[in-house]
Amino acid sequence: MLEHPSVTAVGVISGTSMDGIDVAAVDADGDLALRPGPGRTFPYPPALRASLLDLAADPDRALREPLTELEAAVTEAHAGAVEQFLRDTGLDRRTVSVVGLHGQTVCHRPEQRFTRQLIDGPAAARRLNLPVVDHFRDDDVSAGGQGAPFAPLYHRALAARLQGPLMVLNLGGVGNVTFLDGDTVLAFDTGPASALLDDFVRRRRGLPFDEDGRLAASGQADPVLVERFLQHPFFVQPAPKSLDRNDFHAAATAVESLSDADGAATLAAFTVESLVAALPHLPATPRRWLVTGGGRRNGHFMARLRIRLGVPVDPVEAEGWDGDALEAQCFAYLAVRARRGLPLSLPSTTGVPHPMPGGRLHLAA
Protein backbone atom coordinates (compact mmCIF):
# COMPACT_ATOMS: atom_id res chain seq x y z
CA MET A 1 0.00 0.00 0.00
CA LEU A 2 1.27 3.45 -0.85
CA GLU A 3 2.11 5.72 2.04
CA HIS A 4 -0.10 8.56 0.84
CA PRO A 5 -3.30 9.88 2.35
CA SER A 6 -6.51 9.78 0.38
CA VAL A 7 -7.56 13.01 -1.28
CA THR A 8 -10.75 14.14 -3.02
CA ALA A 9 -10.60 14.35 -6.80
CA VAL A 10 -13.15 15.10 -9.51
CA GLY A 11 -13.05 13.44 -12.93
CA VAL A 12 -14.71 14.44 -16.19
CA ILE A 13 -15.14 12.62 -19.50
CA SER A 14 -17.38 12.46 -22.52
CA GLY A 15 -17.15 9.15 -24.32
CA THR A 16 -17.03 8.35 -28.01
CA SER A 17 -20.83 8.23 -28.14
CA MET A 18 -20.82 11.93 -27.16
CA ASP A 19 -24.11 11.50 -25.32
CA GLY A 20 -23.18 13.69 -22.36
CA ILE A 21 -20.50 14.97 -20.00
CA ASP A 22 -19.94 12.65 -17.05
CA VAL A 23 -18.59 14.14 -13.80
CA ALA A 24 -17.82 12.20 -10.61
CA ALA A 25 -15.78 12.39 -7.43
CA VAL A 26 -13.62 9.89 -5.57
CA ASP A 27 -11.57 9.80 -2.41
CA ALA A 28 -8.42 7.89 -3.27
CA ASP A 29 -4.75 7.48 -2.47
CA GLY A 30 -3.90 6.43 -6.03
CA ASP A 31 -3.52 2.76 -5.06
CA LEU A 32 -6.13 0.50 -3.44
CA ALA A 33 -7.61 2.91 -0.91
CA LEU A 34 -10.71 4.02 -2.76
CA ARG A 35 -14.12 5.42 -1.92
CA PRO A 36 -16.19 6.29 -5.00
CA GLY A 37 -18.35 9.37 -4.63
CA PRO A 38 -21.33 10.82 -6.44
CA GLY A 39 -21.66 11.18 -10.19
CA ARG A 40 -23.78 13.25 -12.55
CA THR A 41 -24.24 13.50 -16.32
CA PHE A 42 -24.78 16.83 -18.05
CA PRO A 43 -25.89 17.23 -21.65
CA TYR A 44 -23.76 18.85 -24.28
CA PRO A 45 -25.33 21.99 -25.75
CA PRO A 46 -27.12 20.63 -28.84
CA ALA A 47 -25.16 22.73 -31.33
CA LEU A 48 -21.85 21.63 -29.80
CA ARG A 49 -22.84 17.97 -29.87
CA ALA A 50 -23.87 18.31 -33.51
CA SER A 51 -20.47 19.86 -34.32
CA LEU A 52 -18.68 17.02 -32.55
CA LEU A 53 -20.71 14.37 -34.36
CA ASP A 54 -19.92 16.08 -37.67
CA LEU A 55 -16.25 15.96 -36.76
CA ALA A 56 -16.52 12.28 -35.85
CA ALA A 57 -17.82 11.63 -39.36
CA ASP A 58 -14.70 13.28 -40.84
CA PRO A 59 -11.90 12.29 -38.46
CA ASP A 60 -9.13 13.47 -40.78
CA ARG A 61 -10.10 17.02 -39.82
CA ALA A 62 -8.75 16.25 -36.34
CA LEU A 63 -5.37 15.52 -37.93
CA ARG A 64 -5.11 18.67 -40.02
CA GLU A 65 -7.24 21.40 -38.40
CA PRO A 66 -6.50 23.37 -35.21
CA LEU A 67 -10.16 23.18 -34.07
CA THR A 68 -9.47 26.10 -31.74
CA GLU A 69 -13.06 27.29 -31.41
CA LEU A 70 -14.40 23.76 -30.97
CA GLU A 71 -11.83 22.98 -28.26
CA ALA A 72 -12.73 26.21 -26.45
CA ALA A 73 -16.41 25.25 -26.57
CA VAL A 74 -15.68 21.74 -25.25
CA THR A 75 -13.53 23.18 -22.45
CA GLU A 76 -16.26 25.64 -21.51
CA ALA A 77 -18.85 22.86 -21.44
CA HIS A 78 -16.68 20.51 -19.35
CA ALA A 79 -15.62 23.20 -16.87
CA GLY A 80 -19.23 24.36 -16.62
CA ALA A 81 -20.28 20.77 -15.88
CA VAL A 82 -17.75 20.63 -13.01
CA GLU A 83 -19.14 23.83 -11.52
CA GLN A 84 -22.71 22.54 -11.79
CA PHE A 85 -21.62 19.24 -10.24
CA LEU A 86 -20.13 21.04 -7.25
CA ARG A 87 -23.35 23.01 -6.79
CA ASP A 88 -25.60 19.97 -7.20
CA THR A 89 -23.66 17.73 -4.80
CA GLY A 90 -22.67 20.37 -2.26
CA LEU A 91 -19.05 19.28 -2.57
CA ASP A 92 -16.87 22.05 -1.14
CA ARG A 93 -14.46 23.27 -3.81
CA ARG A 94 -11.83 23.82 -1.11
CA THR A 95 -11.71 20.06 -0.42
CA VAL A 96 -10.98 19.16 -4.06
CA SER A 97 -7.28 18.47 -4.63
CA VAL A 98 -7.36 17.94 -8.39
CA VAL A 99 -9.70 17.73 -11.38
CA GLY A 100 -9.00 15.13 -14.04
CA LEU A 101 -10.27 16.44 -17.40
CA HIS A 102 -10.04 13.74 -20.04
CA GLY A 103 -11.59 15.88 -22.77
CA GLN A 104 -13.39 14.76 -25.91
CA THR A 105 -11.57 12.21 -28.07
CA VAL A 106 -11.89 13.23 -31.72
CA CYS A 107 -9.18 11.05 -33.28
CA HIS A 108 -7.23 8.07 -31.98
CA ARG A 109 -4.56 6.59 -34.26
CA PRO A 110 -1.91 4.97 -32.09
CA GLU A 111 -0.27 3.33 -35.11
CA GLN A 112 0.67 6.91 -36.09
CA ARG A 113 1.52 7.72 -32.46
CA PHE A 114 -1.33 10.20 -32.49
CA THR A 115 -4.30 10.73 -30.21
CA ARG A 116 -6.32 13.88 -29.76
CA GLN A 117 -8.63 14.87 -26.96
CA LEU A 118 -10.15 18.34 -27.17
CA ILE A 119 -9.55 20.12 -23.85
CA ASP A 120 -7.64 23.23 -22.79
CA GLY A 121 -6.33 22.38 -19.33
CA PRO A 122 -4.82 25.79 -18.51
CA ALA A 123 -8.07 27.56 -19.41
CA ALA A 124 -10.07 25.09 -17.32
CA ALA A 125 -7.74 25.51 -14.33
CA ARG A 126 -8.22 29.28 -14.52
CA ARG A 127 -11.98 28.94 -14.86
CA LEU A 128 -12.30 26.48 -11.99
CA ASN A 129 -9.52 27.91 -9.81
CA LEU A 130 -8.42 24.34 -9.19
CA PRO A 131 -5.45 22.18 -10.28
CA VAL A 132 -6.30 20.30 -13.47
CA VAL A 133 -4.71 17.24 -15.09
CA ASP A 134 -5.37 16.67 -18.80
CA HIS A 135 -3.76 14.84 -21.77
CA PHE A 136 -3.76 11.52 -19.95
CA ARG A 137 -3.08 9.41 -23.06
CA ASP A 138 -0.38 11.41 -24.86
CA ASP A 139 2.72 9.96 -23.19
CA ASP A 140 1.52 6.39 -23.63
CA VAL A 141 0.89 6.88 -27.36
CA SER A 142 4.16 8.78 -27.86
CA ALA A 143 6.03 5.85 -26.29
CA GLY A 144 4.42 3.37 -28.68
CA GLY A 145 1.47 2.29 -26.54
CA GLN A 146 -2.10 2.01 -27.74
CA GLY A 147 -3.23 4.83 -25.47
CA ALA A 148 -6.32 2.81 -24.48
CA PRO A 149 -8.03 1.38 -22.54
CA PHE A 150 -7.15 3.59 -19.57
CA ALA A 151 -9.58 2.29 -16.94
CA PRO A 152 -7.85 -1.01 -15.97
CA LEU A 153 -5.98 0.28 -12.93
CA TYR A 154 -9.19 1.80 -11.64
CA HIS A 155 -11.00 -1.48 -12.28
CA ARG A 156 -8.27 -3.26 -10.32
CA ALA A 157 -8.84 -0.96 -7.35
CA LEU A 158 -12.62 -1.40 -7.51
CA ALA A 159 -12.40 -5.19 -7.82
CA ALA A 160 -9.65 -5.74 -5.25
CA ARG A 161 -11.91 -7.93 -3.09
CA LEU A 162 -13.64 -9.87 -5.88
CA GLN A 163 -12.74 -13.37 -7.00
CA GLY A 164 -11.13 -13.84 -10.41
CA PRO A 165 -10.82 -14.56 -13.19
CA LEU A 166 -13.12 -11.58 -13.74
CA MET A 167 -13.85 -9.53 -16.84
CA VAL A 168 -14.96 -5.91 -16.65
CA LEU A 169 -16.58 -4.92 -19.94
CA ASN A 170 -17.20 -1.32 -20.95
CA LEU A 171 -19.96 -1.13 -23.55
CA GLY A 172 -19.57 2.48 -24.57
CA GLY A 173 -19.08 3.71 -28.11
CA VAL A 174 -16.20 1.24 -28.51
CA GLY A 175 -16.05 -1.94 -26.43
CA ASN A 176 -13.13 -2.62 -24.13
CA VAL A 177 -12.37 -5.17 -21.45
CA THR A 178 -10.21 -5.52 -18.37
CA PHE A 179 -9.26 -9.07 -17.37
CA LEU A 180 -8.39 -9.40 -13.67
CA ASP A 181 -6.99 -12.49 -12.00
CA GLY A 182 -4.73 -12.09 -8.99
CA ASP A 183 -1.83 -9.89 -10.06
CA THR A 184 -2.73 -10.20 -13.74
CA VAL A 185 -4.22 -7.11 -15.36
CA LEU A 186 -4.84 -7.41 -19.11
CA ALA A 187 -6.89 -4.97 -21.16
CA PHE A 188 -7.77 -4.22 -24.75
CA ASP A 189 -10.44 -2.84 -27.04
CA THR A 190 -12.75 -5.52 -28.41
CA GLY A 191 -14.57 -3.88 -31.30
CA PRO A 192 -17.70 -1.82 -31.79
CA ALA A 193 -20.08 -1.43 -28.87
CA SER A 194 -22.87 1.12 -29.02
CA ALA A 195 -21.48 3.57 -31.58
CA LEU A 196 -22.38 1.66 -34.76
CA LEU A 197 -25.89 0.87 -33.56
CA ASP A 198 -26.45 4.39 -32.20
CA ASP A 199 -25.35 5.96 -35.48
CA PHE A 200 -27.54 3.58 -37.50
CA VAL A 201 -30.64 4.30 -35.40
CA ARG A 202 -29.94 8.03 -35.57
CA ARG A 203 -29.75 7.90 -39.37
CA ARG A 204 -32.81 5.68 -39.82
CA ARG A 205 -35.13 6.71 -37.01
CA GLY A 206 -33.80 10.06 -35.78
CA LEU A 207 -33.38 8.54 -32.31
CA PRO A 208 -30.26 8.78 -30.15
CA PHE A 209 -30.10 5.01 -29.47
CA ASP A 210 -32.00 1.73 -29.69
CA GLU A 211 -33.78 1.78 -26.33
CA ASP A 212 -33.35 -1.56 -24.55
CA GLY A 213 -32.30 -3.05 -27.90
CA ARG A 214 -35.93 -3.39 -28.94
CA LEU A 215 -35.35 -2.57 -32.61
CA ALA A 216 -32.43 -5.02 -32.86
CA ALA A 217 -34.43 -7.70 -31.05
CA SER A 218 -37.25 -7.33 -33.58
CA GLY A 219 -35.04 -8.02 -36.59
CA GLN A 220 -33.00 -10.85 -38.05
CA ALA A 221 -29.22 -10.53 -38.16
CA ASP A 222 -27.54 -11.21 -41.49
CA PRO A 223 -25.01 -13.96 -40.59
CA VAL A 224 -23.05 -13.49 -43.82
CA LEU A 225 -22.46 -9.83 -43.05
CA VAL A 226 -21.58 -10.55 -39.41
CA GLU A 227 -19.02 -13.14 -40.51
CA ARG A 228 -17.61 -10.69 -43.05
CA PHE A 229 -17.25 -8.01 -40.38
CA LEU A 230 -15.40 -10.49 -38.14
CA GLN A 231 -12.77 -10.99 -40.87
CA HIS A 232 -11.39 -7.55 -40.01
CA PRO A 233 -7.69 -8.02 -39.14
CA PHE A 234 -8.22 -6.33 -35.77
CA PHE A 235 -9.79 -9.46 -34.31
CA VAL A 236 -6.69 -11.63 -34.77
CA GLN A 237 -4.25 -8.99 -33.56
CA PRO A 238 -2.77 -9.92 -30.17
CA ALA A 239 -3.73 -7.89 -27.13
CA PRO A 240 -3.32 -5.21 -26.00
CA LYS A 241 -4.85 -3.29 -28.90
CA SER A 242 -7.11 -0.30 -29.40
CA LEU A 243 -9.56 1.18 -31.87
CA ASP A 244 -10.84 4.47 -33.18
CA ARG A 245 -14.61 5.02 -33.27
CA ASN A 246 -14.53 4.94 -37.09
CA ASP A 247 -12.47 1.79 -37.66
CA PHE A 248 -15.58 -0.20 -38.64
CA HIS A 249 -17.02 2.29 -41.08
CA ALA A 250 -17.37 -0.52 -43.64
CA ALA A 251 -19.85 -2.29 -41.38
CA ALA A 252 -21.93 0.85 -41.09
CA THR A 253 -22.04 1.11 -44.88
CA ALA A 254 -22.80 -2.56 -45.49
CA VAL A 255 -26.04 -2.58 -43.48
CA GLU A 256 -27.57 0.34 -45.34
CA SER A 257 -29.32 -2.06 -47.73
CA LEU A 258 -31.12 -3.81 -44.83
CA SER A 259 -34.35 -2.85 -43.15
CA ASP A 260 -34.21 -0.82 -39.96
CA ALA A 261 -34.82 -3.87 -37.77
CA ASP A 262 -32.48 -6.21 -39.64
CA GLY A 263 -29.73 -3.59 -39.84
CA ALA A 264 -29.95 -3.00 -36.10
CA ALA A 265 -29.98 -6.76 -35.42
CA THR A 266 -26.92 -7.27 -37.61
CA LEU A 267 -24.91 -4.53 -35.91
CA ALA A 268 -25.94 -5.81 -32.47
CA ALA A 269 -24.90 -9.34 -33.43
CA PHE A 270 -21.55 -8.01 -34.64
CA THR A 271 -20.99 -6.33 -31.27
CA VAL A 272 -21.81 -9.54 -29.37
CA GLU A 273 -19.61 -11.73 -31.59
CA SER A 274 -16.72 -9.24 -31.32
CA LEU A 275 -16.83 -9.82 -27.55
CA VAL A 276 -16.81 -13.58 -27.97
CA ALA A 277 -13.77 -13.08 -30.23
CA ALA A 278 -11.93 -11.58 -27.25
CA LEU A 279 -11.81 -14.93 -25.40
CA PRO A 280 -8.82 -16.45 -27.28
CA HIS A 281 -6.69 -13.47 -26.20
CA LEU A 282 -7.13 -14.23 -22.49
CA PRO A 283 -4.92 -16.39 -20.23
CA ALA A 284 -8.02 -17.95 -18.62
CA THR A 285 -11.77 -17.97 -19.14
CA PRO A 286 -13.55 -15.39 -16.98
CA ARG A 287 -16.01 -16.90 -14.52
CA ARG A 288 -18.04 -13.69 -14.57
CA TRP A 289 -18.43 -10.50 -16.62
CA LEU A 290 -19.36 -7.15 -15.07
CA VAL A 291 -20.69 -4.66 -17.61
CA THR A 292 -20.50 -0.89 -17.51
CA GLY A 293 -21.23 1.77 -20.11
CA GLY A 294 -24.56 2.61 -21.70
CA GLY A 295 -24.74 -0.79 -23.39
CA ARG A 296 -25.48 -2.49 -20.05
CA ARG A 297 -28.99 -1.04 -20.34
CA ASN A 298 -29.50 -2.69 -23.71
CA GLY A 299 -31.47 -5.79 -22.76
CA HIS A 300 -30.83 -7.38 -26.14
CA PHE A 301 -27.04 -7.02 -25.76
CA MET A 302 -27.08 -8.43 -22.24
CA ALA A 303 -29.33 -11.39 -23.05
CA ARG A 304 -27.30 -12.36 -26.10
CA LEU A 305 -24.03 -12.07 -24.16
CA ARG A 306 -25.28 -14.40 -21.43
CA ILE A 307 -26.22 -16.98 -24.05
CA ARG A 308 -22.98 -16.70 -26.02
CA LEU A 309 -20.61 -16.58 -23.04
CA GLY A 310 -22.33 -19.15 -20.84
CA VAL A 311 -21.32 -17.45 -17.57
CA PRO A 312 -22.95 -14.74 -15.41
CA VAL A 313 -23.06 -11.36 -17.14
CA ASP A 314 -24.17 -8.62 -14.76
CA PRO A 315 -24.31 -4.84 -14.74
CA VAL A 316 -21.65 -3.39 -12.45
CA GLU A 317 -24.41 -2.23 -10.12
CA ALA A 318 -24.59 -5.86 -8.96
CA GLU A 319 -21.39 -5.07 -7.03
CA GLY A 320 -22.53 -1.64 -5.91
CA TRP A 321 -20.55 0.23 -8.57
CA ASP A 322 -22.10 3.16 -10.42
CA GLY A 323 -21.89 2.37 -14.13
CA ASP A 324 -22.96 5.87 -15.11
CA ALA A 325 -20.14 7.45 -13.11
CA LEU A 326 -17.41 4.83 -13.45
CA GLU A 327 -15.42 6.38 -16.30
CA ALA A 328 -15.50 9.83 -14.73
CA GLN A 329 -14.46 8.28 -11.40
CA CYS A 330 -11.62 6.61 -13.27
CA PHE A 331 -10.15 9.91 -14.45
CA ALA A 332 -10.49 11.39 -10.98
CA TYR A 333 -8.51 8.40 -9.70
CA LEU A 334 -5.95 8.68 -12.51
CA ALA A 335 -5.52 12.39 -11.78
CA VAL A 336 -4.44 11.44 -8.26
CA ARG A 337 -1.98 8.92 -9.71
CA ALA A 338 -0.71 11.50 -12.19
CA ARG A 339 -0.02 14.04 -9.46
CA ARG A 340 1.96 11.38 -7.59
CA GLY A 341 3.97 10.30 -10.63
CA LEU A 342 2.45 6.80 -10.67
CA PRO A 343 1.83 4.78 -13.84
CA LEU A 344 -1.46 5.27 -15.63
CA SER A 345 -0.92 2.36 -18.04
CA LEU A 346 1.01 -0.90 -18.17
CA PRO A 347 2.56 -3.06 -20.91
CA SER A 348 -0.35 -5.48 -20.42
CA THR A 349 -3.03 -2.80 -20.78
CA THR A 350 -1.83 -0.63 -23.67
CA GLY A 351 1.34 -2.32 -24.95
CA VAL A 352 3.50 0.54 -23.74
CA PRO A 353 7.14 -0.57 -23.27
CA HIS A 354 7.10 -0.03 -19.48
CA PRO A 355 4.69 1.24 -16.82
CA MET A 356 3.94 4.74 -18.00
CA PRO A 357 3.10 7.85 -15.96
CA GLY A 358 1.24 10.56 -17.81
CA GLY A 359 -1.02 13.56 -17.73
CA ARG A 360 -0.26 17.28 -17.74
CA LEU A 361 -0.73 19.25 -14.53
CA HIS A 362 -2.02 22.81 -14.76
CA LEU A 363 -2.23 24.87 -11.59
CA ALA A 364 -4.83 27.54 -11.08
CA ALA A 365 -3.51 31.02 -11.88
Side-chain angles (χ1 to χ4, degrees):
M1 185 70 71
L2 297 173
E3 295 181 0
H4 289 293
S6 289
V7 299
T8 299
V10 172
V12 189
I13 186 171
S14 176
T16 51
S17 58
M18 303 178 191
D19 53 1
I21 304 166
D22 296 331
V23 187
V26 302
D27 292 335
D29 69 350
D31 190 30
L32 298 183
L34 173 65
R35 186 168 66 87
R40 300 285 190 279
T41 298
F42 303 94
Y44 265 129
L48 175 56
R49 183 169 189 262
S51 296
L52 290 168
L53 289 170
D54 286 345
L55 180 63
D58 185 13
D60 285 342
R61 286 178 53 205
L63 288 168
R64 65 178 186 267
E65 295 184 13
L67 303 175
T68 304
E69 292 184 3
L70 190 57
E71 182 168 72
V74 168
T75 301
E76 177 72 14
H78 286 217
V82 172
E83 292 185 326
Q84 187 63 49
F85 173 79
L86 296 177
R87 289 192 292 269
D88 288 353
T89 61
L91 183 61
D92 188 341
R93 175 188 306 265
R94 293 169 297 182
T95 68
V96 177
S97 293
V98 64
V99 177
L101 283 177
H102 174 270
Q104 180 66 62
T105 297
V106 294
C107 189
H108 184 69
R109 296 185 177 176
E111 72 282 359
Q112 300 177 27
R113 299 202 175 190
F114 180 84
T115 188
R116 188 171 187 185
Q117 287 75 45
L118 294 182
I119 198 71
D120 183 344
R126 291 192 298 271
R127 160 83 181 263
L128 296 170
N129 195 31
L130 287 168
V132 163
V133 174
D134 66 357
H135 291 281
F136 288 88
R137 302 182 192 271
D138 291 27
D139 289 348
D140 184 279
V141 170
S142 295
Q146 292 290 307
F150 251 50
L153 293 178
Y154 185 59
H155 293 159
R156 181 181 67 179
L158 278 173
R161 295 175 178 83
L162 300 182
Q163 186 177 10
L166 173 71
M167 188 80 103
V168 181
L169 164 63
N170 177 32
L171 278 177
V174 169
N176 58 70
V177 291
T178 302
F179 174 86
L180 300 166
D181 190 17
D183 293 332
T184 300
V185 183
L186 175 65
F188 53 97
D189 283 354
T190 57
S194 299
L196 283 179
L197 184 56
D198 288 352
D199 290 350
F200 178 80
V201 172
R202 188 179 301 111
R203 289 194 305 273
R204 291 294 187 92
R205 297 285 181 97
L207 299 173
F209 57 91
D210 180 14
E211 186 170 357
D212 201 33
R214 286 195 285 265
L215 181 62
S218 72
Q220 293 292 321
D222 184 325
V224 174
L225 282 181
V226 173
E227 184 58 32
R228 184 201 305 173
F229 301 158
L230 291 169
Q231 299 308 307
H232 192 290
F234 173 81
F235 295 110
V236 295
Q237 292 174 14
K241 52 187 175 177
S242 71
L243 288 165
D244 182 80
R245 189 183 194 277
N246 295 284
D247 281 347
F248 291 97
H249 177 73
T253 302
V255 296
E256 285 303 311
S257 62
L258 302 179
S259 69
D260 292 0
D262 289 354
T266 299
L267 293 175
F270 178 30
T271 291
V272 170
E273 294 306 315
S274 72
L275 294 164
V276 176
L279 294 175
H281 299 290
L282 304 176
T285 300
R287 65 175 64 212
R288 185 186 187 194
W289 291 54
L290 289 173
V291 187
T292 187
R296 78 192 189 284
R297 294 196 177 93
N298 184 311
H300 182 64
F301 275 161
M302 296 293 281
R304 293 302 305 167
L305 279 172
R306 292 184 184 108
I307 292 169
R308 292 291 288 120
L309 296 171
V311 297
V313 178
D314 301 313
V316 294
E317 283 77 7
E319 287 298 333
W321 306 355
D322 184 346
D324 292 328
L326 193 143
E327 281 197 280
Q329 292 170 355
C330 168
F331 283 94
Y333 174 81
L334 292 180
V336 176
R337 290 184 69 88
R339 290 210 70 173
R340 293 179 173 164
L342 299 171
L344 308 187
S345 56
L346 307 174
S348 61
T349 63
T350 68
V352 75
H354 52 80
M356 179 63 62
R360 305 284 184 272
L361 175 64
H362 310 283
L363 300 176

mmCIF file of all heavy atoms in Angstrom, residues 18 43-55 69-70 73-74 77:
data_model
loop_
_atom_site.group_PDB
_atom_site.id
_atom_site.type_symbol
_atom_site.label_atom_id
_atom_site.label_comp_id
_atom_site.label_asym_id
_atom_site.label_seq_id
_atom_site.Cartn_x
_atom_site.Cartn_y
_atom_site.Cartn_z
ATOM 1 N N MET A 18 -20.560 10.491 -27.281
ATOM 2 C CA MET A 18 -20.821 11.928 -27.156
ATOM 3 C C MET A 18 -22.231 12.214 -26.655
ATOM 4 O O MET A 18 -22.854 13.203 -27.043
ATOM 5 C CB MET A 18 -20.573 12.649 -28.483
ATOM 6 C CG MET A 18 -19.179 12.445 -29.033
ATOM 7 S SD MET A 18 -18.917 13.257 -30.612
ATOM 8 C CE MET A 18 -17.328 12.540 -31.098
ATOM 9 N N PRO A 43 -25.838 17.278 -20.189
ATOM 10 C CA PRO A 43 -25.895 17.226 -21.653
ATOM 11 C C PRO A 43 -24.960 18.240 -22.293
ATOM 12 O O PRO A 43 -24.715 19.316 -21.737
ATOM 13 C CB PRO A 43 -27.356 17.575 -21.952
ATOM 14 C CG PRO A 43 -27.784 18.421 -20.788
ATOM 15 C CD PRO A 43 -27.051 17.869 -19.595
ATOM 16 N N TYR A 44 -24.427 17.866 -23.449
ATOM 17 C CA TYR A 44 -23.756 18.850 -24.278
ATOM 18 C C TYR A 44 -24.798 19.835 -24.810
ATOM 19 O O TYR A 44 -25.936 19.444 -25.119
ATOM 20 C CB TYR A 44 -23.110 18.174 -25.487
ATOM 21 C CG TYR A 44 -21.652 17.809 -25.329
ATOM 22 C CD1 TYR A 44 -21.216 16.520 -25.617
ATOM 23 C CD2 TYR A 44 -20.702 18.761 -24.960
ATOM 24 C CE1 TYR A 44 -19.882 16.167 -25.516
ATOM 25 C CE2 TYR A 44 -19.364 18.419 -24.849
ATOM 26 C CZ TYR A 44 -18.957 17.135 -25.128
ATOM 27 O OH TYR A 44 -17.633 16.807 -25.021
ATOM 28 N N PRO A 45 -24.445 21.107 -24.973
ATOM 29 C CA PRO A 45 -25.325 21.989 -25.745
ATOM 30 C C PRO A 45 -25.573 21.365 -27.120
ATOM 31 O O PRO A 45 -24.638 20.853 -27.743
ATOM 32 C CB PRO A 45 -24.510 23.292 -25.852
ATOM 33 C CG PRO A 45 -23.587 23.258 -24.667
ATOM 34 C CD PRO A 45 -23.246 21.807 -24.464
ATOM 35 N N PRO A 46 -26.810 21.345 -27.594
ATOM 36 C CA PRO A 46 -27.122 20.628 -28.838
ATOM 37 C C PRO A 46 -26.254 21.020 -30.026
ATOM 38 O O PRO A 46 -25.831 20.146 -30.798
ATOM 39 C CB PRO A 46 -28.596 20.985 -29.076
ATOM 40 C CG PRO A 46 -29.140 21.251 -27.711
ATOM 41 C CD PRO A 46 -28.029 21.902 -26.958
ATOM 42 N N ALA A 47 -25.972 22.309 -30.185
ATOM 43 C CA ALA A 47 -25.161 22.732 -31.328
ATOM 44 C C ALA A 47 -23.737 22.199 -31.207
ATOM 45 O O ALA A 47 -23.118 21.811 -32.217
ATOM 46 C CB ALA A 47 -25.151 24.257 -31.431
ATOM 47 N N LEU A 48 -23.203 22.150 -29.993
ATOM 48 C CA LEU A 48 -21.852 21.634 -29.798
ATOM 49 C C LEU A 48 -21.819 20.133 -30.075
ATOM 50 O O LEU A 48 -20.896 19.637 -30.737
ATOM 51 C CB LEU A 48 -21.380 21.932 -28.371
ATOM 52 C CG LEU A 48 -20.024 21.350 -27.961
ATOM 53 C CD1 LEU A 48 -18.917 21.782 -28.920
ATOM 54 C CD2 LEU A 48 -19.687 21.755 -26.528
ATOM 55 N N ARG A 49 -22.810 19.413 -29.602
ATOM 56 C CA ARG A 49 -22.841 17.969 -29.872
ATOM 57 C C ARG A 49 -22.937 17.710 -31.370
ATOM 58 O O ARG A 49 -22.272 16.806 -31.895
ATOM 59 C CB ARG A 49 -24.012 17.310 -29.146
ATOM 60 C CG ARG A 49 -24.044 15.796 -29.332
ATOM 61 C CD ARG A 49 -25.050 15.127 -28.407
ATOM 62 N NE ARG A 49 -24.900 13.684 -28.463
ATOM 63 C CZ ARG A 49 -25.651 12.877 -29.208
ATOM 64 N NH1 ARG A 49 -26.613 13.391 -29.972
ATOM 65 N NH2 ARG A 49 -25.441 11.575 -29.209
ATOM 66 N N ALA A 50 -23.752 18.487 -32.063
ATOM 67 C CA ALA A 50 -23.865 18.314 -33.514
ATOM 68 C C ALA A 50 -22.526 18.560 -34.195
ATOM 69 O O ALA A 50 -22.139 17.827 -35.123
ATOM 70 C CB ALA A 50 -24.926 19.264 -34.061
ATOM 71 N N SER A 51 -21.788 19.580 -33.743
ATOM 72 C CA SER A 51 -20.473 19.855 -34.323
ATOM 73 C C SER A 51 -19.498 18.714 -34.064
ATOM 74 O O SER A 51 -18.702 18.348 -34.938
ATOM 75 C CB SER A 51 -19.910 21.166 -33.751
ATOM 76 O OG SER A 51 -20.711 22.266 -34.118
ATOM 77 N N LEU A 52 -19.560 18.136 -32.876
ATOM 78 C CA LEU A 52 -18.676 17.019 -32.550
ATOM 79 C C LEU A 52 -19.021 15.778 -33.357
ATOM 80 O O LEU A 52 -18.129 15.052 -33.820
ATOM 81 C CB LEU A 52 -18.739 16.723 -31.055
ATOM 82 C CG LEU A 52 -18.092 17.773 -30.143
ATOM 83 C CD1 LEU A 52 -18.469 17.527 -28.687
ATOM 84 C CD2 LEU A 52 -16.569 17.785 -30.309
ATOM 85 N N LEU A 53 -20.313 15.519 -33.552
ATOM 86 C CA LEU A 53 -20.710 14.372 -34.358
ATOM 87 C C LEU A 53 -20.309 14.571 -35.820
ATOM 88 O O LEU A 53 -19.907 13.618 -36.496
ATOM 89 C CB LEU A 53 -22.214 14.140 -34.241
ATOM 90 C CG LEU A 53 -22.677 13.593 -32.885
ATOM 91 C CD1 LEU A 53 -24.198 13.624 -32.784
ATOM 92 C CD2 LEU A 53 -22.157 12.178 -32.665
ATOM 93 N N ASP A 54 -20.394 15.801 -36.316
ATOM 94 C CA ASP A 54 -19.921 16.084 -37.674
ATOM 95 C C ASP A 54 -18.424 15.816 -37.783
ATOM 96 O O ASP A 54 -17.952 15.262 -38.782
ATOM 97 C CB ASP A 54 -20.208 17.541 -38.046
ATOM 98 C CG ASP A 54 -21.681 17.796 -38.329
ATOM 99 O OD1 ASP A 54 -22.429 16.814 -38.512
ATOM 100 O OD2 ASP A 54 -22.078 18.980 -38.346
ATOM 101 N N LEU A 55 -17.692 16.208 -36.765
ATOM 102 C CA LEU A 55 -16.247 15.964 -36.763
ATOM 103 C C LEU A 55 -15.955 14.466 -36.724
ATOM 104 O O LEU A 55 -15.039 13.987 -37.409
ATOM 105 C CB LEU A 55 -15.605 16.663 -35.565
ATOM 106 C CG LEU A 55 -14.091 16.502 -35.411
ATOM 107 C CD1 LEU A 55 -13.354 17.110 -36.601
ATOM 108 C CD2 LEU A 55 -13.619 17.142 -34.110
ATOM 109 N N GLU A 69 -11.766 26.873 -31.946
ATOM 110 C CA GLU A 69 -13.062 27.286 -31.408
ATOM 111 C C GLU A 69 -13.812 26.100 -30.817
ATOM 112 O O GLU A 69 -14.467 26.220 -29.772
ATOM 113 C CB GLU A 69 -13.895 27.956 -32.498
ATOM 114 C CG GLU A 69 -13.341 29.303 -32.944
ATOM 115 C CD GLU A 69 -14.254 29.979 -33.960
ATOM 116 O OE1 GLU A 69 -15.331 29.418 -34.264
ATOM 117 O OE2 GLU A 69 -13.871 31.048 -34.447
ATOM 118 N N LEU A 70 -13.709 24.949 -31.480
ATOM 119 C CA LEU A 70 -14.397 23.762 -30.971
ATOM 120 C C LEU A 70 -13.796 23.323 -29.641
ATOM 121 O O LEU A 70 -14.523 22.962 -28.706
ATOM 122 C CB LEU A 70 -14.319 22.640 -31.999
ATOM 123 C CG LEU A 70 -15.182 21.401 -31.743
ATOM 124 C CD1 LEU A 70 -16.656 21.773 -31.606
ATOM 125 C CD2 LEU A 70 -14.995 20.380 -32.857
ATOM 126 N N ALA A 73 -15.024 25.550 -26.932
ATOM 127 C CA ALA A 73 -16.407 25.255 -26.568
ATOM 128 C C ALA A 73 -16.494 23.994 -25.717
ATOM 129 O O ALA A 73 -17.275 23.926 -24.751
ATOM 130 C CB ALA A 73 -17.255 25.116 -27.828
ATOM 131 N N VAL A 74 -15.707 22.957 -26.049
ATOM 132 C CA VAL A 74 -15.679 21.737 -25.245
ATOM 133 C C VAL A 74 -15.175 22.049 -23.837
ATOM 134 O O VAL A 74 -15.742 21.593 -22.834
ATOM 135 C CB VAL A 74 -14.803 20.664 -25.922
ATOM 136 C CG1 VAL A 74 -14.529 19.505 -24.963
ATOM 137 C CG2 VAL A 74 -15.475 20.154 -27.194
ATOM 138 N N ALA A 77 -17.783 23.780 -21.843
ATOM 139 C CA ALA A 77 -18.849 22.860 -21.439
ATOM 140 C C ALA A 77 -18.397 21.948 -20.306
ATOM 141 O O ALA A 77 -19.148 21.700 -19.344
ATOM 142 C CB ALA A 77 -19.308 22.042 -22.638
#
